[in-house]
């Protein structure tokens, strides 16, 4: 039995009066019962952003009839919009390198029903033995090693896999490879990375060693949408933890694992609940 | 010159479809431009809560015409509602005892324009000399000492002051007197207290000493609406700070002052921006 | 090859001058090189507590010779003391009920070398199938169901297991059974529990539901040594996370899992690094 | 009546066995009763750092006799060391520009006895009227305006003031002028600045606007010792607060004031309690 559909309408358009009235009227006419609604007026760009969660009370209404009803309103207000049934977990491809703490964490949250993803594949640039202690269940695992020379082919392989599995979300769960511009563009808006620093501090390699050398008193992690600008994609979530002068780089790496796990898990949750809307180089996150 | 009015409509009613559509349609028809809107469906009680911020684009619309327009909709949905122009700072009475850190903090935030209150009086159960270093400017100061015997008269005095000054908000800024049930009732919904513990832990007297004796690793403070149930009123805001075994009760009191200041200031801000709606013994806080 | 021994001397005694000098002199004479030292004077009880980490530079010194050297000094100052080689992971028994997030977390930290325990057994009051997705490796698993009637026998079974495995530490990783006074006493000082509330708030059953009903704005978890006073044992570590009016009890349970995991993992780490010393109903924690 | 002296000995030297034994023996022989002691072995540089707090039980011992007793030990271990009686508040010069929240905060903490400084002067590059609401009491106020042209003279004036008042500590309490290399050098190790960003992110001007443009989810503040490398001096303390996409730069500035106040106050406290020791471009902070 399918779960009851739970729709999220996200939209962005130039700000002018009447948007909320028009949209809520339209959904009401379709038998929609709004259970959550959040909006944001960007004073800088004069753009308006909204997220509306609703169920359908009428058996007649369907996603198709909703699309038909929303389209003229959307056109009238020049909206970019997207309608998602979040009761259906999105097909998700997970990429990982040697360190598997984020992968293990996401899979655990998925298994106990906390994170509503549908894992359609795990891709690693390390062999299966590296992950011997993880129960992948029926999720297909692919070892796709990568060198400087084979990178184009390897990326093509991953994109192909994303296409054939119909992946709607790609999570770089400590996948320690810089994506090419092509690949970043191909996954635009549906690829989340976790960077192990409080960006914009300590971009690039070995951020915990950088933090150690700098003598900061807090370290952090950042989950962001992947763009072709390395470590500069729109930030979804960040968090930090206190460190002291006595913490070695290894202590920072250890404390960092805890931050990375929770920051990535939160970012994925926000994405699949469609709480995020891109706004230029920033991310609007309608928190619960 | 008056500031441009900024209206907040807060409402609560039994949940059923069409509320958002009806209200947003009504405000739109009055020339209202919605700049913020948040809602909450309480699944437990089947009640719906909403906060809508809007400006008026039409010069014809007035608070009175808004009231007229909203009234039939409100009646149709059985709403409790309140319309506030938050561009006008609420008249605020500040009560204080010996420790003045919260009072000093609130006055500073007011003076630099951070906290939009209109202080109409300061009432203390300690004499003016206690606060010799504070610049009260033109805010009337009243010393109203209190003993067990004079409590009814003293409270009557304060209520009288609240009435004559038209106080819309009363802040107990570390006012270390338990209000009588009568007084609590008289100020219901417009009186905020700061309690120096992470409630419901350590109610009553000397909470930092209780926390010390208990060996907790974090201490906190709680801002809540005052009801006749001591330290049990609906919580608006809480925060904590880490302590260690080496912290003495005096250290806790010192660290606590920092927590109390920011928790009370946030609670007052949430209240005057009408982000709070009472929901039984709880407070809905629509955070920015 | 064995790791290089790393000794921790913890001690408690009446405070008087000369303790640090006497102890550091003694360790120096034995070829000890102190790498960490922390102390605490409890002004309330006039007791002195110290933790000293040291390596042995001399091949002649042994744990036995250290004991011999320390004994007269300890006697002179009436010290309670303990010498531990923390390079050897303590034998640890893990108890779990239905919810396995803390167990999974501890095992992961152990497997990647983050948490230096030696898991000698896992005891559950649910059958093995409940944990089908967890790789227990060679750690013996025992299903010991418990009812009101069989509790004495079940506890005897666990204590027997603790004895035969030589368990030095017992972790209640969300083991949802109240230990009898007998069992609590038998494991005194070496049994850590995680309670899913910010104690002393919300003791007893269903703390997240209590927190929800109370309308608090932060929820927490508490790791403590087990005593026969339920949920009142000396607190080792606590942490909190922010919640909102929109969070359901299920949301609190979900957010709570993250808090419980990190609080329990930290508490176990502090214990096995001998950073904790009991001080009446409180725990001294010498943080790194 | 003078307070009872409370001595802090801080030292740094090449790490080798016997340091703790030698120092504690020496202090014990002088009638010293150690009440706190913390140490740090820097594995990277092989240097050893220690902070020892002690009182003198013998009436014969004096700072001079202590100096005499410590000197040969210090020489034997090639120590850099400093003996401070922290019962005497250090003479402190406070520098401020237009925004006075940190100044007001420090003065409040000083007035209620929370922060043991002896304010010997307030220097501002804005006129006295700017601070009309602050009660400076008997603390001399100097208005020393500064332009690009008069900077050398203005700085000379400040250094002169520091010399004549015997200032042991200079606090840049949101003093929005970059110190010259000369002045930074002259105040080396005794000048604390608060920067309104989580360094190393957002150095230089208008950090909250930078943070806003970048779309970070947390903002912070950093207190550091001043060196001639702008915003790169050894970090003493940092903290952060959560922000959202809806926060404007003005909201960030407002939230930032709270962070700046507590971070600067903590850093000054750590300094005057001699909890800080410089270690290259980093600061060791022995937290309580």
């Amino acid at each position: 039995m399918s779960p009851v559909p739970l729709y999220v309408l996200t939209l962005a358009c130039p700000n002018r009066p009447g948007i909320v009235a028009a949209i809520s009227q339209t959904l009401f006419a379709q038998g929609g019962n709004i259970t959550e609604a959040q909006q944001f007026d960007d004073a800088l760009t004069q753009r308006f952003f909204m997220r509306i969660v609703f169920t359908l009370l009428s058996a007649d209404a369907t996603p198709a009839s909703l699309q038909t009803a929303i389209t003229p309103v959307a056109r009238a207000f020049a909206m970019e919009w997207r309608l998602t049934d979040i009761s259906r977990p999105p097909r998700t491809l997970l990429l990982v390198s040697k360190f598997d703490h984020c992968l293990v964490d996401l899979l655990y949250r998925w298994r106990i029903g906390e994170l509503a993803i549908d894992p359609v594949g795990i891709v690693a640039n390390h062999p299966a033995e590296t992950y011997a202690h993880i129960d992948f269940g029926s999720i297909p695992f692919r070892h796709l090693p990568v060198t400087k020379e084979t990178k184009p082919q390897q990326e093509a392989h991953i994109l192909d896999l994303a296409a054939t599995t119909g992946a709607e979300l790609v999570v770089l769960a400590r996948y320690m490879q810089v994506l090419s511009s092509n690949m970043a563009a191909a996954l635009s808006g549906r690829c989340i990375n976790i960077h192990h620093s409080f960006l914009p501090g300590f971009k690039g390699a070995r951020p915990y060693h950088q933090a150690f050398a700098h003598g900061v008193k807090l370290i952090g992690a950042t989950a962001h949408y992947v763009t072709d600008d390395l470590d500069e994609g729109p930030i979804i979530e960040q968090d930090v933890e206190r460190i002291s002068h006595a913490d070695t780089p290894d202590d920072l790496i250890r404390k960092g694992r805890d931050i990375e796990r929770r920051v990535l898990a939160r970012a994925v949750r926000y994405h699949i609940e469609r709480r995020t809307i891109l706004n230029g180089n920033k991310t609007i996150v309608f928190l619960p």
Side-chain angles (χ1 to χ4, degrees), chain A:
Chain A
M1 204 187 73
S2 300
V4 178
L6 183 64
Y7 294 100
V8 177
L9 175 66
T10 50
L11 61 90
C13 63
N15 195 9
R16 62 181 173 96
I19 305 170
V20 179
I23 279 291
S24 53
Q25 197 58 51
T26 302
L27 295 180
F28 179 57
Q30 292 293 310
N33 186 31
I34 297 176
T35 58
E36 276 183 73
Q38 286 164 291
Q39 63 180 74
F40 170 58
D41 293 10
D42 188 334
L44 212 68
T45 59
Q46 302 295 329
R47 277 183 79 76
F48 174 91
F49 301 85
M50 193 165 195
R51 172 184 185 262
I52 307 170
V53 186
F54 63 98
T55 52
L56 285 183
L57 300 173
S58 153
D60 298 339
T62 63
S65 70
L66 278 170
Q67 294 272 355
T68 306
I70 295 167
T71 297
V73 185
R75 195 167 298 147
F77 287 91
M79 291 175 183
E80 295 171 36
W81 62 291
R82 178 202 295 262
L83 183 68
T84 312
D85 173 5
I86 63 167
S87 72
R88 190 187 58 72
R91 288 179 293 276
T92 304
L93 197 60
L94 300 159
L95 273 61
V96 68
S97 291
K98 190 178 167 198
F99 300 116
D100 61 11
H101 53 283
C102 284
L103 177 69
V104 166
D105 182 71
L106 292 175
L107 290 176
Y108 181 79
R109 293 178 196 264
W110 159 69
R111 182 160 282 137
I112 65 169
E114 175 182 315
L115 201 64
I117 55 171
D118 173 11
V120 293
I122 293 164
V123 173
N125 58 338
H126 289 255
E129 302 89 83
T130 311
Y131 317 99
H133 293 288
I134 314 176
D135 179 355
F136 287 150
S138 60
I139 310 167
F141 172 87
R142 291 295 287 271
H143 174 211
L144 296 178
V146 60
T147 63
K148 211 179 161 186
E149 287 71 33
T150 63
K151 188 173 183 130
Q153 294 91 313
Q154 195 249 17
E155 288 198 338
H157 210 135
I158 296 173
L159 285 179
D160 192 54
L161 212 57
T164 55
T165 57
E168 299 161 281
L169 172 63
V170 175
V171 180
L172 309 189
R174 291 298 306 267
Y175 179 67
M176 306 303 286
Q177 297 291 323
V178 178
L179 302 197
S180 68
S181 293
N182 275 352
M183 184 156 173
L187 299 175
S188 175
R190 56 183 175 122
C191 181
I192 296 174
N193 182 43
I194 178 78
H195 182 76
H196 42 317
S197 90
F198 185 76
L199 290 173
F202 312 130
K203 292 178 199 173
R206 291 165 60 89
Y208 293 124
H209 289 80
Q210 292 183 54
F212 174 79
H214 209 92
V216 291
K217 297 302 183 188
L218 299 164
I219 53 166
T222 304
H224 61 92
Y225 284 109
V226 171
T227 61
D228 61 358
D229 196 351
L230 175 65
D231 298 340
E232 282 284 357
I235 294 170
I236 305 169
E237 170 68 351
Q238 299 186 291
D239 209 345
V240 296
E241 229 167 87
R242 196 160 278 273
I243 59 164
S244 89
H245 61 268
D247 283 309
T248 63
D250 279 352
D251 292 323
L252 270 50
I253 288 168
R254 167 174 58 82
K255 291 188 171 184
R257 279 194 294 265
D258 273 19
I259 316 174
E260 294 161 33
R261 273 186 282 230
R262 64 176 184 261
V263 166
L264 180 58
R266 281 186 206 143
V268 170
R269 164 177 291 271
Y270 298 157
H271 176 88
I272 65 185
E273 294 181 351
R274 290 285 164 205
R275 298 185 175 280
T276 59
I277 307 182
L278 287 173
N279 181 19
N281 67 330
K282 303 201 223 176
T283 312
I284 293 162
V285 184
F286 290 118
L287 289 179

